[in-house]
Amino acid sequence: MKNLYSKTLRAMALGIFLLAGTTWLNGQGLTLNWKGSISADANNQLNWDNPTTLVDNFLVVGNTTTYANPANPLHPIISGSTDITVRTLSVAAPSVAGGTDRGQFTVSMNTGNTFYVSNPTSATAIYRGTLIVNSGILRHRRPFSVGDNESIFIVEGTGRAQIDETVHMGNSSTPTLGGKIFIRDNGVMHINATGDRLIRFAPAEGLSVLTITGNGTLEINGDHRATANITNAIAANKITGGANFFINYYFDQIANRTYFKAKPQTTVFAYFTDRLTERTIASVAGQNCPPVSLEKSNIRDIATEFIWKYGTTPGGPYNTVLSSSTTTSNLTPNFSQSGTFYLVCEAVTPGGNVVSNELRFIIGSDKIVLTPAATQFLRGAQTGTKVTATASSGTLSSGEWKWTTTQGVGHASFNPPVTGNEYTPDFAAVGTYFVAFHALVDGQPHVSAEIQVVKMAGNASALNITWNGSASDDFHNMRNWTPLAYPKNNNIIVPVTAPVWPVFRNGVDTIMGASQIHYQASPEIKAKLIIRGNTPDDVLRWRGNADGFAGELVIESGVFEKDQDLLRMGANNATLTVKGTGVAKFNQWGTNTNNTLMVGNAETPTAGGNVYISENARVFFNPPNVFRISTNPDAEFGRFFLSGNGQMIFEGDFVSGSATYITNKRIVIPANHVHRNLYDPISNKTYVLARDLSTFAIANSTTQYLAVGQTSQALTLTNTGSLSNFTWQYSAGPFGPWSDFTPGVTGTSAIVAFNQTGTYFVSAKAGDGTRVSNVTKFVVFDFKVNLVKNGNIYTLSVSPLTGMTMSGWQIKAAGDPAYETFDFAGTGTTYIVDPFHFLDGDGVYLVSYLGIVKDENAQDVNLFASPAVITISGGVVVSGVTTSTEPKKELKTGVYPNPSNGTFYINVNSDKYIVEVLDMSGAVISKQLMFGNEQTITIQRKGIFIVKVTSDEGVGISRVVVK
């Protein structure tokens, strides 16, 4: 029975108050339990046990034993002319199986208004009671289930239900329970998700039944003409029209939806067996048209003969027999003459003959052949592929292309007229056009079959187009796709049977979420989509949830970009290969903190695709976290295979995160290689690479921690081979730009020091330009021994760094290789110099302090303070020098000539200083330590730059111009 109610009740529901629309409120939401204390009006707060607004809260409708009056239950009805959003809705089953006290909730919004169930992160909502939509829209953004034998969902009247996720007809993957869905009157149920989303039909009779009656319609996104779950459900009467009805279904390419409707069993329904949209067929005399058939019905089942007839006017008479059969209700029509024909099937039964609906055919002359003759789909400003007219025999002359918007009727000339035997479709306005070629063949007039041109808006729904590769490997050639359309903003399907794989070469294109790259297990074939951009600016984007990625996506050059939803590599056979100079970018989607790559089939993955990065390829992750990836080091799926100069580039400082991927063996490198895991502060990115241990490198690349001015441990080179003339350089980032030390540091080993705090990377190169395959990182702290002289008393002190553990004073004689614990000075942070404590007597001593800091892996590192130099002579302290500096003052600096061609002389009144060159964005171009006056700097590009000079005496800044 329909859930209808009086106009008075509806007016009362509208008159109480209107709830706010779809805006989410802050907070966790409240649970509201239905009581129905006053009326059936769900908008009335007093009918709920927690009287407050419904918006952004959790609604619970129990069985009627929980209502205010179980004997006369008032079931809630939500209405209104303003959209309403709740987080979740729960409707309960009867208190005992088969009982009548199930909960019930009705959506009865005004036409065009929506009741949203909108918590997209929650689990599947299982409706165990009765849920009804009789007007307005229910939009359910969560997975939806009628997974209980008591579950009933009804869409009736003018109601529309849109389910944005999967619809479960049963209670589990092997269902033993399942409820019922009814779509009737003018009701519509739309499953607004891509993929196999109507699932889990319980096999037992009477369970998991979806019934369509009247003018009700089930719509499912995508092409489901061959989806096993659905075709099997129809065959098993799980999707049914009920008694005396059968289900007819077809796929609409433009809407990219499959529609299901009920037809009376007492009728005979003729349809095209490809189950595409009901349509008029354009063909050529003497050629086979698409096959037709009669839908299964009780009339078809008892028929003793099937007579296919046609006429030349709609509605008959149908006086010409095309074919007759006593065994089959199928036909492949073939008309021998041109013209417009109306085809029906007359089913001969013991109770009389029943005539089917008619199918229309427009047949062109067999003297003119159009290539290609298929429908062309154009989007936005696109023009079509060239159509050529030729004569099947004889001489073609005096041809003109004409068009109409009414198929088969009223052909008109283009303005200006289009003559000749070639035509390229180009229409400005959105619509469907029919074009025919009017010409003389051997002096006699003939009209070709019409070609159909569908002009779509640029943002129209995506088409499903399948790669046929019949013309070439060109991704951009619409003749390589069926139906004829360009891939831009469409769903592309690449089957394993393709003769060649599609190659994307130029431009900026987008394919949509329902695109598929197929896979065949036996014999194993991975269909491929190849990106081979002509330039680095050629980009192919894959938008939407890519569930159909089962084969291989290959990026050889150019860019692949995923910036919305997920590239779902949930199967082991899904393969992403990035090589050559190819670039893949996985960006943020929505407000998610993960990027758009998924290499696992579940939260705890049991399968997942693999990614191969080689040669000079780069893969960017922004944000850095892969959406779903296994943490099992033994899992042989969901891995990144990194080799050559391939790079994984994570946004920000992701050293610890990528280290976790490495530890879990998610990033696999070849034998005799090691991982390089580096954060570059210049680009604010973390780089993971594979380094070959047999290549030219720095032997000891472990991070060193130094105080300002402190000398490093010696660095040495390995695998130098025939290389020579080695120069050591430094940079603020692990990939440069590189600057020479001043004075220069050369040779197969090096000891370096830094006079400013910061993070530095040291590299080396040979005379022929060959650079080492790794770097050594230096972290330089402002940790020094301060010295204060008061008369003949020298006081040393240190200030600990944040988080530092203070260990104690250290001492060594000048020239000694290492510090020793200075027992007399103790562990306090202040020490008054006493000559008696210097047991070796007169000499020059370096006094430092040992502090312990944590490195980037949280391990302890010894850090020695920049020392004070103490000189003992005759048993007394005769001098003390410290490395501490006074506050910086302005340093007079001269730079000339200015402007110049890039080479400048710098005049600084200081013995030793650091020169930095910065561009106008503040990025450091070069950094050098210099000594003495009249030094040379060179800037090897045009522009305006800042030269910053820093010494113990102060800081100087000059602006310079390079012409």
Side-chain angles (χ1 to χ4, degrees):
M1 176 181 290
K2 297 180 185 177
N3 186 275
L4 302 177
Y5 54 97
S6 70
K7 292 183 179 179
T8 302
L9 178 58
R10 185 180 182 91
M12 181 179 70
L14 292 173
I16 296 175
F17 65 89
L18 301 178
L19 294 179
T22 60
T23 302
W24 287 85
L25 302 179
N26 294 326
Q28 300 301 310
L30 300 173
T31 297
L32 280 61
N33 291 287
W34 175 257
K35 291 298 182 184
S37 307
I38 298 174
S39 64
D41 182 12
N43 304 72
N44 189 333
Q45 299 177 13
L46 299 179
N47 283 315
W48 301 88
D49 70 351
N50 196 347
T52 185
T53 175
L54 274 59
V55 175
D56 201 26
N57 286 322
F58 304 88
L59 306 190
V60 176
V61 181
N63 53 55
T64 59
T65 62
T66 66
Y67 289 22
N69 184 358
N72 183 26
L74 296 171
H75 296 301
I77 302 169
I78 191 77
S79 62
S81 57
T82 301
D83 293 350
I84 299 170
T85 298
V86 299
R87 290 198 178 190
T88 61
L89 172 65
S90 173
V91 185
S95 55
V96 292
T100 60
D101 63 335
R102 66 167 59 88
Q104 179 174 304
F105 187 90
T106 300
V107 176
S108 192
M109 305 290 289
N110 284 10
T111 300
N113 291 114
T114 303
F115 178 73
Y116 292 90
V117 180
S118 290
N119 190 345
T121 61
S122 296
T124 301
I126 303 175
Y127 291 93
R128 293 187 163 92
T130 300
L131 177 60
I132 301 170
V133 186
N134 62 30
S135 65
I137 303 167
L138 165 68
R139 183 163 184 182
H140 200 281
R141 289 172 169 163
R142 306 168 59 200
F144 183 101
S145 173
V146 286
D148 188 284
N149 290 352
E150 309 295 336
S151 301
I152 297 176
F153 181 44
I154 301 171
V155 188
E156 62 184 8
T158 59
R160 182 179 182 89
Q162 178 170 313
I163 314 299
D164 289 349
E165 283 288 347
T166 304
V167 174
H168 297 202
M169 295 296 297
N171 64 322
S172 65
S173 56
T174 54
T176 56
L177 304 176
K180 297 178 176 62
I181 295 178
F182 298 91
I183 309 171
R184 56 201 187 198
D185 303 332
N186 291 302
V188 175
M189 178 176 171
H190 175 204
I191 301 178
N192 185 38
T194 302
D196 192 359
R197 301 288 188 162
L198 182 60
I199 61 174
R200 296 185 178 178
F201 287 87
E205 186 176 354
L207 303 183
S208 299
V209 179
L210 190 156
T211 304
I212 305 171
T213 56
N215 198 37
T217 305
L218 170 65
E219 304 174 1
I220 308 178
N221 279 15
D223 183 357
H224 296 280
R225 292 174 293 172
T227 301
N229 267 331
I230 292 173
T231 56
N232 291 342
I234 292 173
N237 288 322
K238 295 292 183 179
I239 301 177
T240 178
N244 302 319
F245 284 82
F246 61 86
I247 293 296
N248 173 254
Y249 60 97
Y250 62 90
F251 174 60
D252 187 321
Q253 290 176 299
I254 296 178
N256 190 28
R257 293 182 190 173
T258 307
Y259 295 85
F260 301 79
K261 285 183 169 290
K263 301 288 185 182
Q265 288 274 15
T266 54
T267 63
V268 178
F269 185 77
Y271 70 99
F272 292 101
T273 51
D274 59 13
R275 292 195 181 275
L276 290 172
T277 314
E278 299 176 32
R279 63 205 188 277
T280 296
I281 294 298
S283 189
V284 176
Q287 290 187 5
N288 287 343
C289 299
V292 297
S293 184
L294 297 185
E295 191 74 78
K296 178 178 172 59
S297 68
N298 55 9
I299 297 296
R300 192 195 76 172
D301 292 345
I302 64 173
T304 59
E305 186 177 4
F306 303 96
I307 305 171
W308 293 91
K309 299 180 176 181
Y310 69 87
T312 56
T313 57
Y318 310 106
N319 46 24
T320 303
V321 175
L322 190 62
S323 176
S324 177
S325 173
T326 59
T327 60
T328 179
S329 57
N330 302 322
L331 173 70
T332 300
N334 188 313
F335 298 91
S336 60
Q337 297 179 343
S338 60
T340 300
F341 305 103
Y342 300 87
L343 179 70
V344 297
C345 184
E346 186 173 325
V348 180
T349 75
N353 294 359
V354 180
V355 178
S356 75
N357 55 304
E358 65 181 19
L359 304 176
R360 183 174 181 234
F361 296 81
I362 299 176
I363 307 301
S365 170
D366 60 349
K367 295 295 185 180
I368 301 176
V369 178
L370 301 185
T371 306
T375 300
Q376 297 190 28
F377 293 88
L378 308 179
R379 182 185 296 278
Q382 293 174 346
T383 58
T385 188
K386 181 171 63 180
V387 181
T388 303
T390 57
S392 59
S393 63
T395 302
L396 182 70
S397 62
S398 303
E400 181 183 354
W401 298 88
K402 296 186 178 183
W403 67 283
T404 180
T405 55
T406 304
Q407 193 169 13
V409 179
H411 291 158
S413 297
F414 287 93
N415 184 20
V418 178
T419 58
N421 69 331
E422 294 181 346
Y423 164 70
T424 299
D426 185 8
F427 293 96
V430 170
T432 301
Y433 301 87
F434 305 91
V435 179
F437 189 58
H438 295 241
L440 299 178
V441 179
D442 292 338
Q444 298 298 314
H446 290 267
V447 179
S448 73
E450 293 175 329
I451 62 165
Q452 183 174 341
V453 180
V454 180
K455 183 71 170 186
M456 305 161 61
N459 60 351
S461 296
L463 297 172
N464 287 354
I465 63 174
T466 301
W467 175 259
N468 58 60
S470 59
S472 63
D473 67 359
D474 186 2
F475 172 90
H476 308 276
N477 186 341
M478 66 191 305
R479 295 195 188 203
N480 285 318
W481 299 95
T482 303
L484 291 172
Y486 296 107
K488 186 178 181 66
N489 289 348
N490 286 323
N491 298 313
I492 69 166
I493 299 167
V494 185
V496 297
T497 54
V500 294
W501 305 125
V503 179
F504 171 91
R505 288 186 173 89
N506 60 277
V508 178
D509 268 357
T510 299
I511 58 176
M512 305 308 286
S515 295
Q516 302 170 30
I517 305 176
H518 285 180
Y519 170 78
Q520 176 178 290
S522 181
E524 186 176 45
I525 303 174
K526 291 184 181 181
K528 294 182 182 181
L529 171 60
I530 300 171
I531 299 174
R532 192 179 292 152
N534 294 332
T535 74
D537 297 323
D538 297 317
V539 181
L540 179 63
R541 299 186 176 101
W542 193 338
R543 177 142 311 167
N545 268 320
D547 289 296
F549 181 22
E552 183 174 8
L553 174 62
V554 183
I555 307 155
E556 298 177 356
S557 56
V559 178
F560 170 77
E561 189 168 359
K562 191 79 180 74
D563 60 354
Q564 186 190 84
D565 298 305
L566 292 170
L567 185 69
R568 294 175 178 265
M569 299 176 65
N572 292 352
N573 42 270
T575 303
L576 173 63
T577 300
V578 194
K579 60 183 183 178
T581 59
V583 173
K585 296 181 178 180
F586 296 97
N587 299 329
Q588 185 174 16
W589 53 292
T591 58
N592 205 292
T593 57
N594 307 106
N595 57 54
T596 50
L597 180 62
M598 184 188 83
V599 288
N601 63 334
E603 292 298 330
T604 303
T606 57
N610 290 319
V611 181
Y612 296 85
I613 308 167
S614 62
E615 299 173 12
N616 292 301
R618 293 170 294 159
V619 180
F620 290 85
F621 304 88
N622 180 21
N625 295 295
V626 175
F627 174 77
R628 185 179 290 160
I629 187 170
S630 177
T631 58
N632 177 9
D634 297 324
E636 295 186 358
F637 57 81
R639 296 178 295 181
F640 296 85
F641 292 86
L642 188 61
S643 62
N645 194 38
Q647 301 179 24
M648 298 174 67
I649 304 172
F650 300 90
E651 190 68 19
D653 187 349
F654 194 64
V655 169
S656 60
S658 49
T660 300
Y661 291 159
I662 292 169
T663 300
N664 291 337
K665 298 181 180 179
R666 297 304 87 202
I667 304 177
V668 181
I669 59 177
N672 299 317
H673 285 63
V674 293
H675 293 91
R676 293 182 65 194
N677 184 13
L678 302 166
Y679 171 64
D680 179 11
I682 295 176
S683 62
N684 189 33
K685 290 177 172 59
T686 299
Y687 295 77
V688 179
L689 308 91
R691 184 174 74 83
D692 186 348
L693 290 174
S694 67
T695 58
F696 175 44
I698 301 173
N700 46 334
S701 58
T702 303
T703 300
Q704 294 191 33
Y705 296 82
L706 305 175
V708 170
Q710 183 181 346
T711 57
S712 69
Q713 299 174 20
L715 305 176
T716 58
L717 298 176
T718 185
N719 300 322
T720 56
S722 60
L723 300 173
S724 60
N725 299 324
F726 304 111
T727 301
W728 296 82
Q729 298 176 309
Y730 69 95
S731 173
F735 305 105
W738 300 106
S739 300
D740 291 336
F741 287 95
T742 305
V745 179
T746 60
T748 57
S749 64
I751 295 176
V752 299
F754 299 93
N755 289 326
Q756 286 190 325
T757 60
T759 299
Y760 301 89
F761 297 86
V762 172
S763 173
K765 67 175 181 177
D768 66 355
T770 302
R771 188 168 293 279
V772 288
S773 59
N774 62 342
V775 294
T776 298
K777 180 179 177 182
F778 289 86
V779 181
V780 182
F781 296 94
D782 186 13
F783 182 45
K784 55 185 173 292
V785 176
N786 298 302
L787 181 149
V788 176
K789 180 182 179 184
N790 186 4
N792 293 323
I793 298 175
Y794 293 81
T795 302
L796 307 183
S797 63
V798 289
S799 297
L801 303 176
T802 302
M804 173 180 279
T805 300
M806 304 301 284
S807 180
W809 291 92
Q810 305 286 309
I811 187 171
K812 69 175 180 176
D816 284 353
Y819 286 103
E820 296 179 359
T821 301
F822 194 8
D823 293 326
F824 289 104
T827 58
T829 58
T830 301
Y831 166 62
I832 298 175
V833 177
D834 184 343
F836 179 77
H837 295 161
F838 294 78
L839 299 181
D840 289 338
D842 293 352
V844 179
Y845 298 89
L846 279 67
V847 181
S848 179
Y849 196 97
L850 175 60
I852 300 174
V853 295
K854 298 289 186 182
D855 66 9
E856 54 208 9
N857 297 314
Q859 301 299 310
D860 287 344
V861 173
N862 290 339
L863 180 64
F864 291 91
S866 298
V869 180
I870 303 296
T871 302
I872 308 293
S873 179
V876 298
V877 181
V878 295
S879 70
V881 179
T882 181
T883 56
S884 62
T885 58
E886 298 297 327
K888 300 297 182 185
K889 61 182 180 181
E890 183 179 355
L891 184 67
K892 291 185 178 180
T893 305
V895 180
Y896 64 92
N898 190 6
S900 79
N901 61 1
T903 298
F904 299 81
Y905 294 95
I906 186 164
N907 192 334
V908 182
N909 186 22
S910 179
D911 293 331
K912 182 175 68 174
Y913 48 93
I914 293 173
V915 178
E916 293 176 275
V917 178
L918 301 87
D919 64 21
M920 295 307 291
S921 70
V924 176
I925 303 302
S926 67
K927 186 174 182 179
Q928 302 178 62
L929 178 63
M930 292 185 171
F931 297 83
N933 216 335
E934 199 77 10
Q935 296 296 319
T936 302
I937 59 172
T938 300
I939 304 173
Q940 296 181 336
R941 69 187 203 202
K942 297 178 182 179
I944 301 174
F945 302 89
I946 300 298
V947 175
K948 178 181 176 183
V949 178
T950 305
S951 76
D952 290 341
E953 289 79 28
V955 177
I957 293 178
S958 297
R959 188 175 75 162
V960 298
V961 178
V962 178
K963 294 184 295 184

